[in-house]
Every structure is written in structure tokens, then in C-alpha cells.
Amino acid sequence: MRKLVSAILGLLILIGAGALAYYLIDSNKKEKAPVKKVVKTVFVDTVKNSTVPIELPANGTLIAKNRIELFSEVQGVFQYSAKDFRPGENYSRGQVLLKLNSQEYFASVQSAKSELYNQIAAIMPDLRLDYPDAFSKWENYLNNYNLDKTTPKLPEISNNKERYFITGRGILSTYYNVKNLEERLVKYSIIAPFDGILTEALVTKGALVRQGQKLGEFIDPSVYELEVSISKEYSDLLQKGEKVILQDLEGSETYTGKVSRINANIDQATQSIRVYIQVEGDSLKEGMYLEAQLEAKKIENAISVDRKLLVNQNQLYIVRDSILDLVKIEPVYTSEEKAVVKGLDDGIKMINKPVSGAYAGMPVKIFQEKESAKSQN
């Protein structure tokens, strides 16, 4: 009897515990709130077609347009310079950049000139007898002959007989030998061909300069060229003489240049062509890094948009009656950040910022600046 009563009580306790647990679970259920339909707010621009210039970004370093590398064609000791031959020195046109000691060579030139004078003087008696018509001009040549000046040009030979006579006496060969020596004597001095500045000096006064040795570099600091590379697909858009806006890295200085040259050769490795932009400015220095905006062409009836807005490279999202629509456009030019497109009518509301999860037919709300200002107030 006792076992029966214990079994019945245990069964009742299990049933009661199960009922209590069911009640607690059932009472803990929460009703799900209805899902609210979220309408995204989008930013738009009103399309207004106009003339859009295509600008090709490029960059490079400045190089002096007029520059010469100084080399010695003769050997000698560095003797004289109009100024201290050091980097940064300014020279005017016609000033002596560098002069080598030429006393020994000068003596040989004078000896050759004297030999020419003696040869002409030796034929004068024969000229008086055999060629009296030519005597006066050769006599006048000798009278004006000066060893301290450049050898003058020989008198003009009138006929073949006179030519044979002069050539047979070795006068022509001696004359041209003298002129050759005089030309080489000039190379002992290097004269500034323009107003400029010495940017590199590799020798000092008193040093022995050897033939073919590099002496330095001389540039004109008033005119520079910027060499940039652009893709070959835009080469037909550029024209010589077009204006170019240049800026330094900080964007603090702006310069105006022009396209001076366009290389016809295409770099096989990069498939680009080299364009040279001429620019002038007092603050410009050789080796200065500049960024250029080349205005290649102007596109009529087009707009410029952010390249990120393009879908499949030829579509854009617009808003019609609070619904997104995907329309086809005609891309004319694309850069890293911008794209110039055609095909949109004036007045269309175009998305100007990317919308996550966008699709055609998606309901949206256009952002209103006035409503935003009121909420902030």
C-alpha cells in the first residue's frame, strides 16, 4: 500500500512539473513586430549638358630647354674663367666659361702662318712677270697680312693657269693647314653661347684637362620643358601650341605652359607617347616636379560624372517618380576618377553618390537639403 501511494505521488509530481514548464514556456513567447519597409535616401544632381573639356593628367620633372654639356676637345691646363668656375655661377653671353693654356699650340699656329706668308712672298716676282694681272691682288693680300689676326681668305683665282701656278707652289695646302690649326686653337676657349648658369663643374683652375674630358653643364634658366607621357589612344586629341596648366606638388604655385613638341614614336613597353611642354617662370628650377592638366579636346552636349557611378561601363542610375531606373549612356572619355558621358537629357535626376544594393525599380527618397536644415535646427 505504501509503495502504491509513493508511486501515485511521484506520478502526480511529474505531471505537475510538466504542466508548469509548459505554462512558463508558453507565457515567454513575444509577438514579432511587423517589418517596416525602409526607403533609402539618395543624393541626386540635375543633368545639365554643356561643353566639357577633356583633361589628361600627367606629371614629370623640368629640364632646361637650352642646355649644353661642356667637354674638352683639346688638352691643356685650366688657366682662366670670367668667373669662379663653380656650380651656381651666372655667365653672360660671350663671356669665357673656360680657357686652357694654349701657348705651345699658339706658337705652332704662328709658325704655320709665317710659312704661308713666306710662300706667297716667294712667288711674287714670278707673278709680276708671268701673271701681271694677278700681281696687284696678291700684293695687296701680303700688305694686309697680320700674324696677330685670323688668316684672311686667299685672293680669288681668275683662271686655270693662275690656279695651277698657285697650287703647284703648295700655297693652297699650306693655307688650309693654317685654317685647320686656327680652328683648333679656338677650341682652347669655351665661350658662353647664351645667358645662363653653371649647374655642374668638374674641374678647377690649374687642373690638367684631357681631350674628351667632361668639364660641367651650362643651362639657360629662363625656359624649361616638361616631358610627360600620355596613352597613345589620346595622341590624336593633342595639338602643338595648346595651353597647359601646371602645378607644383603642394598646389601653391600655378604656371601656364604650352605644348611645344609631340614625339611621333610610341614607347613599346608602355604604349605611350612623349609630350614636351614649354614653360617659363622665375621660381622654376631644373629637376622640379610638376603636374600637368592637358586640355586635349572639348566635347559638346556632355556631362562629367564620377567614374564610380558607372554600371557596366555604359549605364547610370537615375530617379523617376521616386523609383531607381538604369539607363544606357555613351561614355566618351574615362580617367581614374572622372568620366565624360553623353546621352542624358537636361533635367533628369541622376544619382551622384553610389547606393548600396541598388537595382532598377528600387523605391528611393531624394535627399532634400531644406528638410535636413530644418531637422538640424
PDB file of all heavy atoms in Angstrom, residues 64-68 83 89-97 191-199 218-224:
ATOM      1  N   ALA A  64      65.908  72.059 -68.511  1.00  0.00           N
ATOM      2  CA  ALA A  64      66.188  73.296 -69.234  1.00  0.00           C
ATOM      3  C   ALA A  64      66.154  73.049 -70.738  1.00  0.00           C
ATOM      4  O   ALA A  64      66.744  72.087 -71.227  1.00  0.00           O
ATOM      5  CB  ALA A  64      67.539  73.857 -68.814  1.00  0.00           C
ATOM      6  N   LYS A  65      65.455  73.912 -71.454  1.00  0.00           N
ATOM      7  CA  LYS A  65      65.345  73.746 -72.900  1.00  0.00           C
ATOM      8  C   LYS A  65      66.709  73.948 -73.569  1.00  0.00           C
ATOM      9  O   LYS A  65      67.081  73.218 -74.482  1.00  0.00           O
ATOM     10  CB  LYS A  65      64.316  74.720 -73.472  1.00  0.00           C
ATOM     11  CG  LYS A  65      64.094  74.556 -74.962  1.00  0.00           C
ATOM     12  CD  LYS A  65      63.032  75.507 -75.476  1.00  0.00           C
ATOM     13  CE  LYS A  65      62.806  75.312 -76.973  1.00  0.00           C
ATOM     14  NZ  LYS A  65      61.766  76.229 -77.497  1.00  0.00           N
ATOM     15  N   ASN A  66      67.429  74.983 -73.123  1.00  0.00           N
ATOM     16  CA  ASN A  66      68.761  75.256 -73.646  1.00  0.00           C
ATOM     17  C   ASN A  66      69.784  74.804 -72.615  1.00  0.00           C
ATOM     18  O   ASN A  66      69.927  75.423 -71.559  1.00  0.00           O
ATOM     19  CB  ASN A  66      68.938  76.748 -73.950  1.00  0.00           C
ATOM     20  CG  ASN A  66      67.945  77.253 -74.981  1.00  0.00           C
ATOM     21  OD1 ASN A  66      67.678  76.566 -75.960  1.00  0.00           O
ATOM     22  ND2 ASN A  66      67.403  78.432 -74.773  1.00  0.00           N
ATOM     23  N   ARG A  67      70.475  73.736 -72.904  1.00  0.00           N
ATOM     24  CA  ARG A  67      71.488  73.208 -72.004  1.00  0.00           C
ATOM     25  C   ARG A  67      72.613  72.598 -72.832  1.00  0.00           C
ATOM     26  O   ARG A  67      72.383  72.044 -73.910  1.00  0.00           O
ATOM     27  CB  ARG A  67      70.904  72.154 -71.060  1.00  0.00           C
ATOM     28  CG  ARG A  67      70.334  70.940 -71.767  1.00  0.00           C
ATOM     29  CD  ARG A  67      69.753  69.910 -70.815  1.00  0.00           C
ATOM     30  NE  ARG A  67      70.767  69.318 -69.985  1.00  0.00           N
ATOM     31  CZ  ARG A  67      70.784  69.420 -68.656  1.00  0.00           C
ATOM     32  NH1 ARG A  67      69.848  70.079 -68.035  1.00  0.00           N
ATOM     33  NH2 ARG A  67      71.740  68.869 -67.952  1.00  0.00           N
ATOM     34  N   ILE A  68      73.813  72.733 -72.341  1.00  0.00           N
ATOM     35  CA  ILE A  68      74.961  72.142 -73.017  1.00  0.00           C
ATOM     36  C   ILE A  68      75.832  71.438 -71.987  1.00  0.00           C
ATOM     37  O   ILE A  68      75.986  71.904 -70.856  1.00  0.00           O
ATOM     38  CB  ILE A  68      75.800  73.192 -73.795  1.00  0.00           C
ATOM     39  CG1 ILE A  68      76.246  74.317 -72.852  1.00  0.00           C
ATOM     40  CG2 ILE A  68      75.037  73.737 -74.970  1.00  0.00           C
ATOM     41  CD1 ILE A  68      77.192  75.293 -73.505  1.00  0.00           C
ATOM     42  N   LYS A  83      84.535  84.021 -64.460  1.00  0.00           N
ATOM     43  CA  LYS A  83      84.088  84.000 -63.071  1.00  0.00           C
ATOM     44  C   LYS A  83      84.606  82.731 -62.410  1.00  0.00           C
ATOM     45  O   LYS A  83      85.237  81.893 -63.066  1.00  0.00           O
ATOM     46  CB  LYS A  83      82.556  84.070 -62.985  1.00  0.00           C
ATOM     47  CG  LYS A  83      81.968  85.373 -63.495  1.00  0.00           C
ATOM     48  CD  LYS A  83      80.463  85.431 -63.267  1.00  0.00           C
ATOM     49  CE  LYS A  83      79.903  86.769 -63.718  1.00  0.00           C
ATOM     50  NZ  LYS A  83      78.429  86.857 -63.480  1.00  0.00           N
ATOM     51  N   GLU A  89      77.252  79.719 -60.594  1.00  0.00           N
ATOM     52  CA  GLU A  89      77.765  80.968 -61.151  1.00  0.00           C
ATOM     53  C   GLU A  89      77.022  81.321 -62.435  1.00  0.00           C
ATOM     54  O   GLU A  89      76.797  80.465 -63.292  1.00  0.00           O
ATOM     55  CB  GLU A  89      79.261  80.860 -61.437  1.00  0.00           C
ATOM     56  CG  GLU A  89      80.144  80.949 -60.211  1.00  0.00           C
ATOM     57  CD  GLU A  89      80.182  82.336 -59.606  1.00  0.00           C
ATOM     58  OE1 GLU A  89      79.705  83.289 -60.261  1.00  0.00           O
ATOM     59  OE2 GLU A  89      80.681  82.472 -58.474  1.00  0.00           O
ATOM     60  N   ASN A  90      76.648  82.610 -62.567  1.00  0.00           N
ATOM     61  CA  ASN A  90      75.971  83.096 -63.763  1.00  0.00           C
ATOM     62  C   ASN A  90      76.989  83.659 -64.753  1.00  0.00           C
ATOM     63  O   ASN A  90      77.920  84.370 -64.355  1.00  0.00           O
ATOM     64  CB  ASN A  90      74.949  84.181 -63.400  1.00  0.00           C
ATOM     65  CG  ASN A  90      73.797  83.639 -62.582  1.00  0.00           C
ATOM     66  OD1 ASN A  90      73.025  82.828 -63.066  1.00  0.00           O
ATOM     67  ND2 ASN A  90      73.684  84.073 -61.340  1.00  0.00           N
ATOM     68  N   TYR A  91      76.786  83.354 -66.011  1.00  0.00           N
ATOM     69  CA  TYR A  91      77.625  83.872 -67.089  1.00  0.00           C
ATOM     70  C   TYR A  91      76.735  84.534 -68.128  1.00  0.00           C
ATOM     71  O   TYR A  91      75.641  84.045 -68.434  1.00  0.00           O
ATOM     72  CB  TYR A  91      78.422  82.752 -67.752  1.00  0.00           C
ATOM     73  CG  TYR A  91      79.543  82.188 -66.909  1.00  0.00           C
ATOM     74  CD1 TYR A  91      79.289  81.223 -65.941  1.00  0.00           C
ATOM     75  CD2 TYR A  91      80.856  82.604 -67.091  1.00  0.00           C
ATOM     76  CE1 TYR A  91      80.315  80.697 -65.167  1.00  0.00           C
ATOM     77  CE2 TYR A  91      81.889  82.077 -66.329  1.00  0.00           C
ATOM     78  CZ  TYR A  91      81.618  81.126 -65.368  1.00  0.00           C
ATOM     79  OH  TYR A  91      82.629  80.601 -64.605  1.00  0.00           O
ATOM     80  N   SER A  92      77.216  85.649 -68.666  1.00  0.00           N
ATOM     81  CA  SER A  92      76.505  86.324 -69.749  1.00  0.00           C
ATOM     82  C   SER A  92      76.997  85.794 -71.092  1.00  0.00           C
ATOM     83  O   SER A  92      78.102  85.248 -71.199  1.00  0.00           O
ATOM     84  CB  SER A  92      76.733  87.837 -69.677  1.00  0.00           C
ATOM     85  OG  SER A  92      76.257  88.351 -68.448  1.00  0.00           O
ATOM     86  N   ARG A  93      76.179  85.976 -72.078  1.00  0.00           N
ATOM     87  CA  ARG A  93      76.545  85.516 -73.420  1.00  0.00           C
ATOM     88  C   ARG A  93      77.841  86.183 -73.871  1.00  0.00           C
ATOM     89  O   ARG A  93      77.992  87.407 -73.776  1.00  0.00           O
ATOM     90  CB  ARG A  93      75.421  85.835 -74.399  1.00  0.00           C
ATOM     91  CG  ARG A  93      75.690  85.383 -75.820  1.00  0.00           C
ATOM     92  CD  ARG A  93      74.530  85.691 -76.721  1.00  0.00           C
ATOM     93  NE  ARG A  93      74.794  85.245 -78.084  1.00  0.00           N
ATOM     94  CZ  ARG A  93      73.934  85.379 -79.091  1.00  0.00           C
ATOM     95  NH1 ARG A  93      72.750  85.939 -78.874  1.00  0.00           N
ATOM     96  NH2 ARG A  93      74.245  84.956 -80.290  1.00  0.00           N
ATOM     97  N   GLY A  94      78.791  85.385 -74.355  1.00  0.00           N
ATOM     98  CA  GLY A  94      80.065  85.905 -74.822  1.00  0.00           C
ATOM     99  C   GLY A  94      81.181  85.852 -73.788  1.00  0.00           C
ATOM    100  O   GLY A  94      82.346  86.021 -74.150  1.00  0.00           O
ATOM    101  N   GLN A  95      80.854  85.620 -72.530  1.00  0.00           N
ATOM    102  CA  GLN A  95      81.885  85.514 -71.505  1.00  0.00           C
ATOM    103  C   GLN A  95      82.610  84.169 -71.613  1.00  0.00           C
ATOM    104  O   GLN A  95      82.047  83.179 -72.070  1.00  0.00           O
ATOM    105  CB  GLN A  95      81.291  85.675 -70.104  1.00  0.00           C
ATOM    106  CG  GLN A  95      80.958  87.111 -69.734  1.00  0.00           C
ATOM    107  CD  GLN A  95      80.571  87.239 -68.270  1.00  0.00           C
ATOM    108  OE1 GLN A  95      79.804  86.440 -67.735  1.00  0.00           O
ATOM    109  NE2 GLN A  95      81.092  88.271 -67.621  1.00  0.00           N
ATOM    110  N   VAL A  96      83.861  84.167 -71.159  1.00  0.00           N
ATOM    111  CA  VAL A  96      84.673  82.953 -71.216  1.00  0.00           C
ATOM    112  C   VAL A  96      84.286  82.029 -70.070  1.00  0.00           C
ATOM    113  O   VAL A  96      84.449  82.381 -68.899  1.00  0.00           O
ATOM    114  CB  VAL A  96      86.170  83.288 -71.145  1.00  0.00           C
ATOM    115  CG1 VAL A  96      87.002  82.007 -71.144  1.00  0.00           C
ATOM    116  CG2 VAL A  96      86.578  84.187 -72.306  1.00  0.00           C
ATOM    117  N   LEU A  97      83.774  80.871 -70.422  1.00  0.00           N
ATOM    118  CA  LEU A  97      83.477  79.867 -69.405  1.00  0.00           C
ATOM    119  C   LEU A  97      84.755  79.200 -68.914  1.00  0.00           C
ATOM    120  O   LEU A  97      84.957  79.007 -67.710  1.00  0.00           O
ATOM    121  CB  LEU A  97      82.527  78.805 -69.967  1.00  0.00           C
ATOM    122  CG  LEU A  97      81.079  79.224 -70.218  1.00  0.00           C
ATOM    123  CD1 LEU A  97      80.344  78.112 -70.966  1.00  0.00           C
ATOM    124  CD2 LEU A  97      80.373  79.518 -68.920  1.00  0.00           C
ATOM    125  N   ILE A 191      83.251  79.557 -74.883  1.00  0.00           N
ATOM    126  CA  ILE A 191      82.519  80.808 -74.669  1.00  0.00           C
ATOM    127  C   ILE A 191      81.054  80.495 -74.396  1.00  0.00           C
ATOM    128  O   ILE A 191      80.464  79.595 -74.995  1.00  0.00           O
ATOM    129  CB  ILE A 191      82.636  81.722 -75.903  1.00  0.00           C
ATOM    130  CG1 ILE A 191      84.112  81.894 -76.299  1.00  0.00           C
ATOM    131  CG2 ILE A 191      81.991  83.071 -75.639  1.00  0.00           C
ATOM    132  CD1 ILE A 191      84.977  82.514 -75.233  1.00  0.00           C
ATOM    133  N   ALA A 192      80.440  81.243 -73.479  1.00  0.00           N
ATOM    134  CA  ALA A 192      79.019  81.058 -73.153  1.00  0.00           C
ATOM    135  C   ALA A 192      78.166  81.413 -74.366  1.00  0.00           C
ATOM    136  O   ALA A 192      78.229  82.555 -74.838  1.00  0.00           O
ATOM    137  CB  ALA A 192      78.632  81.917 -71.956  1.00  0.00           C
ATOM    138  N   PRO A 193      77.351  80.476 -74.886  1.00  0.00           N
ATOM    139  CA  PRO A 193      76.537  80.771 -76.074  1.00  0.00           C
ATOM    140  C   PRO A 193      75.272  81.556 -75.749  1.00  0.00           C
ATOM    141  O   PRO A 193      74.606  82.054 -76.654  1.00  0.00           O
ATOM    142  CB  PRO A 193      76.191  79.376 -76.601  1.00  0.00           C
ATOM    143  CG  PRO A 193      76.200  78.501 -75.389  1.00  0.00           C
ATOM    144  CD  PRO A 193      77.227  79.070 -74.457  1.00  0.00           C
ATOM    145  N   PHE A 194      74.907  81.636 -74.465  1.00  0.00           N
ATOM    146  CA  PHE A 194      73.707  82.381 -74.052  1.00  0.00           C
ATOM    147  C   PHE A 194      73.861  82.744 -72.578  1.00  0.00           C
ATOM    148  O   PHE A 194      74.762  82.250 -71.891  1.00  0.00           O
ATOM    149  CB  PHE A 194      72.431  81.548 -74.280  1.00  0.00           C
ATOM    150  CG  PHE A 194      72.537  80.125 -73.803  1.00  0.00           C
ATOM    151  CD1 PHE A 194      72.426  79.800 -72.452  1.00  0.00           C
ATOM    152  CD2 PHE A 194      72.761  79.085 -74.702  1.00  0.00           C
ATOM    153  CE1 PHE A 194      72.531  78.500 -72.018  1.00  0.00           C
ATOM    154  CE2 PHE A 194      72.873  77.770 -74.272  1.00  0.00           C
ATOM    155  CZ  PHE A 194      72.758  77.486 -72.920  1.00  0.00           C
ATOM    156  N   ASP A 195      72.973  83.617 -72.111  1.00  0.00           N
ATOM    157  CA  ASP A 195      72.955  83.950 -70.681  1.00  0.00           C
ATOM    158  C   ASP A 195      72.482  82.725 -69.914  1.00  0.00           C
ATOM    159  O   ASP A 195      71.416  82.175 -70.205  1.00  0.00           O
ATOM    160  CB  ASP A 195      72.019  85.126 -70.406  1.00  0.00           C
ATOM    161  CG  ASP A 195      72.488  86.409 -71.073  1.00  0.00           C
ATOM    162  OD1 ASP A 195      73.680  86.470 -71.440  1.00  0.00           O
ATOM    163  OD2 ASP A 195      71.674  87.334 -71.231  1.00  0.00           O
ATOM    164  N   GLY A 196      73.266  82.307 -68.941  1.00  0.00           N
ATOM    165  CA  GLY A 196      72.883  81.099 -68.225  1.00  0.00           C
ATOM    166  C   GLY A 196      73.629  80.938 -66.924  1.00  0.00           C
ATOM    167  O   GLY A 196      74.292  81.866 -66.432  1.00  0.00           O
ATOM    168  N   ILE A 197      73.503  79.737 -66.379  1.00  0.00           N
ATOM    169  CA  ILE A 197      74.086  79.421 -65.087  1.00  0.00           C
ATOM    170  C   ILE A 197      74.802  78.073 -65.171  1.00  0.00           C
ATOM    171  O   ILE A 197      74.349  77.165 -65.868  1.00  0.00           O
ATOM    172  CB  ILE A 197      72.997  79.404 -63.980  1.00  0.00           C
ATOM    173  CG1 ILE A 197      73.622  79.203 -62.610  1.00  0.00           C
ATOM    174  CG2 ILE A 197      71.937  78.347 -64.261  1.00  0.00           C
ATOM    175  CD1 ILE A 197      72.623  79.401 -61.472  1.00  0.00           C
ATOM    176  N   LEU A 198      75.916  77.989 -64.480  1.00  0.00           N
ATOM    177  CA  LEU A 198      76.687  76.749 -64.442  1.00  0.00           C
ATOM    178  C   LEU A 198      76.087  75.835 -63.376  1.00  0.00           C
ATOM    179  O   LEU A 198      76.031  76.195 -62.200  1.00  0.00           O
ATOM    180  CB  LEU A 198      78.149  77.057 -64.122  1.00  0.00           C
ATOM    181  CG  LEU A 198      79.172  75.957 -64.373  1.00  0.00           C
ATOM    182  CD1 LEU A 198      79.302  75.691 -65.864  1.00  0.00           C
ATOM    183  CD2 LEU A 198      80.524  76.359 -63.788  1.00  0.00           C
ATOM    184  N   THR A 199      75.582  74.696 -63.772  1.00  0.00           N
ATOM    185  CA  THR A 199      74.937  73.780 -62.829  1.00  0.00           C
ATOM    186  C   THR A 199      75.854  72.665 -62.358  1.00  0.00           C
ATOM    187  O   THR A 199      75.563  71.998 -61.362  1.00  0.00           O
ATOM    188  CB  THR A 199      73.677  73.153 -63.461  1.00  0.00           C
ATOM    189  OG1 THR A 199      74.059  72.439 -64.652  1.00  0.00           O
ATOM    190  CG2 THR A 199      72.657  74.226 -63.801  1.00  0.00           C
ATOM    191  N   PHE A 218      75.998  73.612 -68.476  1.00  0.00           N
ATOM    192  CA  PHE A 218      75.606  75.011 -68.530  1.00  0.00           C
ATOM    193  C   PHE A 218      74.193  75.088 -69.091  1.00  0.00           C
ATOM    194  O   PHE A 218      73.907  74.493 -70.140  1.00  0.00           O
ATOM    195  CB  PHE A 218      76.583  75.787 -69.414  1.00  0.00           C
ATOM    196  CG  PHE A 218      76.362  77.273 -69.431  1.00  0.00           C
ATOM    197  CD1 PHE A 218      76.616  78.047 -68.311  1.00  0.00           C
ATOM    198  CD2 PHE A 218      75.902  77.895 -70.581  1.00  0.00           C
ATOM    199  CE1 PHE A 218      76.423  79.424 -68.337  1.00  0.00           C
ATOM    200  CE2 PHE A 218      75.704  79.263 -70.618  1.00  0.00           C
ATOM    201  CZ  PHE A 218      75.961  80.028 -69.488  1.00  0.00           C
ATOM    202  N   ILE A 219      73.281  75.782 -68.382  1.00  0.00           N
ATOM    203  CA  ILE A 219      71.883  75.830 -68.804  1.00  0.00           C
ATOM    204  C   ILE A 219      71.372  77.268 -68.846  1.00  0.00           C
ATOM    205  O   ILE A 219      71.944  78.165 -68.223  1.00  0.00           O
ATOM    206  CB  ILE A 219      70.968  75.006 -67.861  1.00  0.00           C
ATOM    207  CG1 ILE A 219      70.871  75.679 -66.486  1.00  0.00           C
ATOM    208  CG2 ILE A 219      71.453  73.579 -67.736  1.00  0.00           C
ATOM    209  CD1 ILE A 219      69.793  75.114 -65.604  1.00  0.00           C
ATOM    210  N   ASP A 220      70.287  77.439 -69.579  1.00  0.00           N
ATOM    211  CA  ASP A 220      69.550  78.703 -69.613  1.00  0.00           C
ATOM    212  C   ASP A 220      68.367  78.568 -68.650  1.00  0.00           C
ATOM    213  O   ASP A 220      67.438  77.790 -68.914  1.00  0.00           O
ATOM    214  CB  ASP A 220      69.067  78.983 -71.028  1.00  0.00           C
ATOM    215  CG  ASP A 220      68.249  80.265 -71.128  1.00  0.00           C
ATOM    216  OD1 ASP A 220      68.137  80.979 -70.110  1.00  0.00           O
ATOM    217  OD2 ASP A 220      67.718  80.557 -72.215  1.00  0.00           O
ATOM    218  N   PRO A 221      68.358  79.302 -67.524  1.00  0.00           N
ATOM    219  CA  PRO A 221      67.303  79.115 -66.515  1.00  0.00           C
ATOM    220  C   PRO A 221      66.004  79.847 -66.808  1.00  0.00           C
ATOM    221  O   PRO A 221      65.101  79.862 -65.971  1.00  0.00           O
ATOM    222  CB  PRO A 221      67.953  79.686 -65.245  1.00  0.00           C
ATOM    223  CG  PRO A 221      68.864  80.752 -65.749  1.00  0.00           C
ATOM    224  CD  PRO A 221      69.354  80.295 -67.091  1.00  0.00           C
ATOM    225  N   SER A 222      65.869  80.426 -67.988  1.00  0.00           N
ATOM    226  CA  SER A 222      64.663  81.203 -68.283  1.00  0.00           C
ATOM    227  C   SER A 222      63.570  80.386 -68.953  1.00  0.00           C
ATOM    228  O   SER A 222      62.388  80.723 -68.856  1.00  0.00           O
ATOM    229  CB  SER A 222      65.017  82.406 -69.165  1.00  0.00           C
ATOM    230  OG  SER A 222      65.549  81.975 -70.411  1.00  0.00           O
ATOM    231  N   VAL A 223      63.935  79.293 -69.636  1.00  0.00           N
ATOM    232  CA  VAL A 223      62.949  78.482 -70.366  1.00  0.00           C
ATOM    233  C   VAL A 223      63.188  77.018 -70.030  1.00  0.00           C
ATOM    234  O   VAL A 223      64.318  76.531 -70.102  1.00  0.00           O
ATOM    235  CB  VAL A 223      63.059  78.692 -71.894  1.00  0.00           C
ATOM    236  CG1 VAL A 223      61.974  77.894 -72.610  1.00  0.00           C
ATOM    237  CG2 VAL A 223      62.962  80.160 -72.246  1.00  0.00           C
ATOM    238  N   TYR A 224      62.085  76.332 -69.664  1.00  0.00           N
ATOM    239  CA  TYR A 224      62.176  74.915 -69.312  1.00  0.00           C
ATOM    240  C   TYR A 224      61.179  74.115 -70.137  1.00  0.00           C
ATOM    241  O   TYR A 224      60.235  74.664 -70.721  1.00  0.00           O
ATOM    242  CB  TYR A 224      61.871  74.707 -67.820  1.00  0.00           C
ATOM    243  CG  TYR A 224      62.919  75.292 -66.900  1.00  0.00           C
ATOM    244  CD1 TYR A 224      62.783  76.571 -66.384  1.00  0.00           C
ATOM    245  CD2 TYR A 224      64.044  74.560 -66.534  1.00  0.00           C
ATOM    246  CE1 TYR A 224      63.742  77.111 -65.548  1.00  0.00           C
ATOM    247  CE2 TYR A 224      65.003  75.089 -65.693  1.00  0.00           C
ATOM    248  CZ  TYR A 224      64.846  76.361 -65.202  1.00  0.00           C
ATOM    249  OH  TYR A 224      65.796  76.877 -64.370  1.00  0.00           O
TER     250      TYR A 224
END
